[in-house]
Amino acid sequence: MYLLRQCVSSRFNFRLLHVSSSSSSHDDRTRTRTRTSFRCYSSSAGTEPVRIGCASGFWGDTATSVPQLVYGGKLDFLVFDYLSEITMSLLTAAKTKMPNLGYAPDFVHVALAPFINDIHRKGIRVVSNAGGVNPLACAEAIQEVIKKAGLDLKVAVVTGDDLMPHRSSLSEVKMADSGSRQQLPKSLHSMNAYLGALPIRRCLDLGADIVVTGRCVDSAVALGPLMHTFGWKRTDYDLLAAGSLAGHLIECGAQSTGGVFTDWHKVPDWDNMGFPVVECSSDGSFLLSKPPKTGGLVSFGTVAEQLVYEIGDPRRYLLPDVICDFSQVVIEEVPGVDGGAVRVTGAKGAAPSHDYKVCATYMDGYRATAVCPVGGPRAADKARRTADSIVKRTKRILKQLKLEDFSSVNVQILGAEDTYGPNARSKGSREAVIWMAAHHKQKKALELFAREIAPAGTGMAPGLTGIAGGRPRVSPVLKPFFFLHPKSELKVDVHVGGELAESFTEAGPDTPEQEAPPTSAQDQPDAELPGGPHSYRLEELAFTRSGDKGDSANIGVIARHPLFFPYLKKHLTSSVVEEYFSHLIQPGANDAVTRYTLPGIHGLNFVLQSSLGGGGVASLRSDPQGKAYGQMLLDLKLKGLPDLKSLVN
């Protein structure tokens, strides 16, 4: 099912090697007619491969992605992923201040407006979750852009993910992690369900040129177009898993084309970073590449790193449309393609849950963060004493004013490797940076804290050169709260051209939810592996990539060579990783580290519970999303191994 036909591979290489910076008008008209035929007839008639390019991995991504994909990507669909839990918090705050905001304005004014004529001329259809918490307002802004350009494009909007109007009926909810029932937080700020690809598919079926959604799973912006084009049914679980994998690999933009790659020194031309394009076939197989004459790199390593990014159990990756099994996915490099390309196969799927996952946020006091460079001899010692003195002085002031103590304080001296805890090996740099953050229930207390930073410049250590960004800003803390909500109790609305086109409730699957497949063997080493006198840093044997889900982090580890994989399974156990990161994991956390295996890519995935200090905007740490955890693990030394380098030479 997942084997790619040779003719598709040949066509792919031809298109990559012969694409020009802009298509001829004849080619554009032909492509437009082809897409029109998809709209007039059953979407299942689409059998030609579909090319989808992703131009944004987050709100604030580079503006250079859209022109390279529009003019060099030969696209059928251009998709954008803007949302994260932190972004939703920011957009909610923006809408609270101004009711006509709450969406990603960059999508309208930076991504669409300058290129809307060429997007229309080339027949490219656009899908984005830029609607945030106000997708209808986003669509209105897009309509203004279309009107100004003198075009006639159909804009569709998906709403229904916002559960705040139903707050009064949600007395108790089922927690996403444990299944236990809890009361909703009292100071609730937002509640958004992660919708799937089906509403996007319906928008495209109704002829939309541009689709705007609120909160949906990131991969849905790619799966929706594939369901529409190929007519995939909601029970075609293997196909839905394959399409979700394609979406997962491109949803973070340049992260799959060489961005934040372990071997960063091998990735050329960051200033012209290429963005990912997947060419998907109706059987679920696809090729991942980037536009020609762009920087970056597409290789087994770059794409495998993205596969393990922000996932838990790879055999049970939960999405609204399908439960994915990515454990046996295979990534093969395609030779002879400028900039690199890979063929991806092997995703499997099962019936999804009857529930949506919901991310709620609630107010939990305030925070302030100070960042201060310090120079000169014994910089780290000076920085640490300065930070401790500021905290001590402010606590004394709070006590004098009869205010409560801080809820929490975090002091890190960057440059002294504080984030490494007992694994630090700093030798006394002459430059250091104070990272000092505090949390309190009252805004007034943190305003006092912010005021007491500057006096250190004249009354404490020499060499404090300033406060980055000036006096620290006091900001509200919005903590995430994840729970499950029955699909049968949520109505999704599809709006086309400013009018409500249809409403539907996405019931759960006809088949009962399947039992979770067995997890990968935790610590079962391959039999009779020889030992030896050699030691290796993990970076010599593997790639790594880390990410976050709430207060949990994950670290994916992919063997650089298949022969290294058995030794990684034997020596890189969950207990080893837990000990290495023990200083960052909340004391007393149950099952603090769980390990899963991905034999298809010779990889391991570690999930570290309660390891981010609350995660996102709730964390006071300098790395609240675990972005550096994978990099930190690269220095772990594995001992007692044979000469592994000789195995691959």
Side-chain angles (χ1 to χ4, degrees):
M1 178 178 183
Y2 288 95
L3 293 177
L4 195 66
R5 300 182 185 91
Q6 184 62 39
C7 63
V8 175
S9 179
S10 299
R11 177 178 182 270
F12 172 80
N13 289 323
F14 177 85
R15 292 178 70 171
L16 268 183
L17 296 174
H18 292 78
V19 67
S20 60
S21 60
S22 61
S23 304
S24 68
S25 59
H26 176 269
D27 180 52
D28 295 336
R29 288 194 297 269
T30 301
R31 292 166 63 80
T32 303
R33 284 197 298 271
T34 301
R35 262 173 223 90
T36 302
S37 69
F38 286 159
R39 299 179 204 177
C40 295
Y41 303 103
S42 169
S43 59
S44 62
T47 56
E48 288 293 308
V50 173
R51 289 177 64 84
I52 303 174
C54 182
S56 174
F58 64 97
W59 181 22
D61 213 337
T62 175
T64 64
S65 58
V66 175
Q68 67 164 251
L69 288 168
V70 168
Y71 302 121
K74 291 285 187 179
L75 299 183
D76 299 289
F77 293 91
L78 178 63
V79 303
F80 298 78
D81 174 30
Y82 285 101
L83 302 183
S84 68
E85 286 77 22
I86 292 177
T87 305
M88 292 295 286
S89 299
L90 296 173
L91 293 176
T92 300
K95 187 181 179 183
T96 301
K97 294 179 180 179
M98 295 187 67
N100 63 331
L101 295 181
Y103 61 89
D106 293 5
F107 174 61
V108 179
H109 305 296
V110 179
L112 281 186
F115 309 103
I116 191 69
N117 285 293
D118 288 327
I119 288 172
H120 168 64
R121 178 172 58 85
K122 290 176 174 292
I124 299 172
R125 301 170 79 176
V126 177
V127 180
S128 174
N129 59 14
V133 297
N134 203 353
L136 290 173
C138 183
E140 290 179 6
I142 294 170
Q143 290 286 9
E144 288 298 315
V145 170
I146 294 171
K147 181 179 178 181
K148 186 175 181 180
L151 300 175
D152 181 19
L153 296 176
K154 189 176 290 187
V155 180
V157 181
V158 177
T159 62
D161 61 290
D162 185 3
L163 290 179
M164 286 298 283
H166 311 289
R167 176 181 178 178
S168 60
S169 63
L170 298 175
S171 56
E172 278 190 346
V173 295
K174 183 168 68 172
M175 300 303 292
D177 54 354
S178 65
S180 62
R181 301 197 70 83
Q182 289 189 24
Q183 296 281 340
L184 282 172
K186 292 182 179 179
S187 54
L188 208 58
H189 194 64
S190 66
M191 283 192 296
N192 294 87
Y194 292 82
L195 300 183
L198 186 59
I200 296 172
R201 182 230 177 105
R202 289 300 302 136
C203 291
L204 296 170
D205 289 348
L206 294 170
D209 298 290
I210 300 173
V211 179
V212 176
T213 78
R215 195 55 168 124
C216 65
V217 291
D218 302 343
S219 56
V221 297
L223 178 59
L226 295 174
M227 294 176 70
H228 160 75
T229 303
F230 296 132
W232 291 348
K233 300 176 183 177
R234 57 189 291 266
T235 54
D236 291 333
Y237 297 128
D238 284 352
L239 295 173
L240 299 184
S244 297
L245 176 58
H248 174 69
L249 291 179
I250 67 173
E251 70 191 28
C252 292
Q255 280 193 187
S256 61
T257 54
V260 297
F261 182 38
T262 299
D263 291 351
W264 54 268
H265 53 287
K266 297 180 180 179
V267 180
D269 304 325
W270 292 351
D271 61 298
N272 187 33
M273 201 70 175
F275 272 65
V277 176
V278 285
E279 181 164 276
C280 305
S281 297
S282 59
D283 64 359
S285 57
F286 62 91
L287 295 135
L288 190 151
S289 66
K290 61 185 182 65
K293 299 180 181 179
T294 59
L297 174 68
V298 177
S299 68
F300 167 81
T302 66
V303 178
E305 282 193 15
Q306 181 59 25
L307 172 58
V308 297
Y309 181 62
E310 293 186 343
I311 68 171
D313 184 349
R315 297 192 181 189
R316 195 169 171 78
Y317 185 60
L318 305 180
L319 295 172
D321 304 292
V322 62
I323 295 176
C324 302
D325 180 355
F326 293 157
S327 64
Q328 300 296 333
V329 166
V330 175
I331 300 171
E332 302 172 285
E333 294 188 357
V334 178
V337 178
D338 177 33
V342 297
R343 178 182 294 112
V344 183
T345 58
K348 297 292 182 182
S353 166
H354 290 75
D355 298 317
Y356 288 116
K357 183 179 179 180
V358 179
C359 178
T361 60
Y362 64 97
M363 286 285 296
D364 185 42
Y366 298 86
R367 60 171 289 166
T369 303
V371 179
C372 308
V374 179
R378 292 182 288 167
D381 293 338
K382 291 188 294 184
R384 199 177 310 281
R385 183 175 173 185
T386 297
D388 291 344
S389 299
I390 292 171
V391 172
K392 185 177 180 180
R393 171 186 285 178
T394 309
K395 285 188 173 187
R396 187 166 62 249
I397 294 173
L398 295 181
K399 187 175 182 179
Q400 291 169 350
L401 296 176
K402 294 181 170 45
L403 294 173
E404 291 184 20
D405 195 0
F406 294 113
S407 305
S408 58
V409 176
N410 181 55
V411 173
Q412 294 173 253
I413 306 304
L414 308 182
E417 299 194 1
D418 277 12
T419 55
Y420 283 80
N423 307 307
R425 59 186 189 195
S426 174
K427 296 182 180 179
S429 172
R430 290 173 293 179
E431 296 175 339
V433 176
I434 298 171
W435 176 281
M436 182 168 43
H439 178 273
H440 200 282
K441 294 179 181 179
Q442 294 181 259
K443 187 176 182 179
K444 178 182 178 181
L446 290 174
E447 289 173 341
L448 292 169
F449 167 76
R451 191 183 66 192
E452 289 301 321
I453 309 297
T458 56
M460 295 185 187
L464 193 149
T465 63
I467 308 171
R471 178 178 291 187
R473 182 171 61 92
V474 179
S475 57
V477 171
L478 293 173
K479 278 192 174 180
F481 182 87
F482 296 101
F483 66 92
L484 301 177
H485 186 74
K487 291 178 179 176
S488 59
E489 297 179 12
L490 188 147
K491 182 168 66 72
V492 179
D493 293 329
V494 172
H495 310 256
V496 179
E499 302 290 335
L500 179 63
E502 66 178 54
S503 300
F504 63 91
T505 297
E506 187 177 351
D510 297 330
T511 56
E513 186 175 352
Q514 299 179 353
E515 291 292 324
T519 58
S520 314
Q522 272 273 4
D523 294 309
Q524 296 296 322
D526 287 7
E528 299 181 1
L529 276 179
H534 297 273
S535 298
Y536 294 95
R537 289 176 58 253
L538 183 62
E539 186 174 13
E540 299 178 80
L541 306 178
F543 308 108
T544 64
R545 171 71 62 81
S546 56
D548 70 305
K549 287 292 183 185
D551 194 25
S552 297
N554 90 289
I555 306 174
V557 179
I558 304 104
R560 290 180 178 271
H561 192 281
L563 293 176
F564 297 164
F565 186 47
Y567 295 92
L568 291 177
K569 285 196 292 181
K570 179 178 179 180
H571 293 271
L572 193 62
T573 63
S574 56
S575 58
V576 168
V577 173
E578 181 174 351
E579 181 181 359
Y580 192 79
F581 288 100
S582 60
H583 62 291
L584 296 176
I585 297 173
Q586 180 179 319
N590 295 323
D591 300 320
V593 176
T594 304
R595 191 185 84 171
Y596 304 100
T597 63
L598 296 90
I601 60 169
H602 315 294
L604 303 171
N605 188 48
F606 297 89
V607 177
L608 288 64
Q609 303 289 344
S610 304
S611 59
L612 296 173
V617 294
S619 175
L620 302 182
R621 297 181 184 175
S622 60
D623 184 10
Q625 295 177 284
K627 298 296 186 183
Y629 283 18
Q631 291 292 295
M632 293 167 69
L633 192 61
L634 292 174
D635 280 324
L636 176 68
K637 186 166 289 188
L638 302 179
K639 301 177 180 179
L641 292 104
D643 184 2
L644 296 182
K645 297 296 180 67
S646 66
L647 296 178
V648 299
N649 293 331

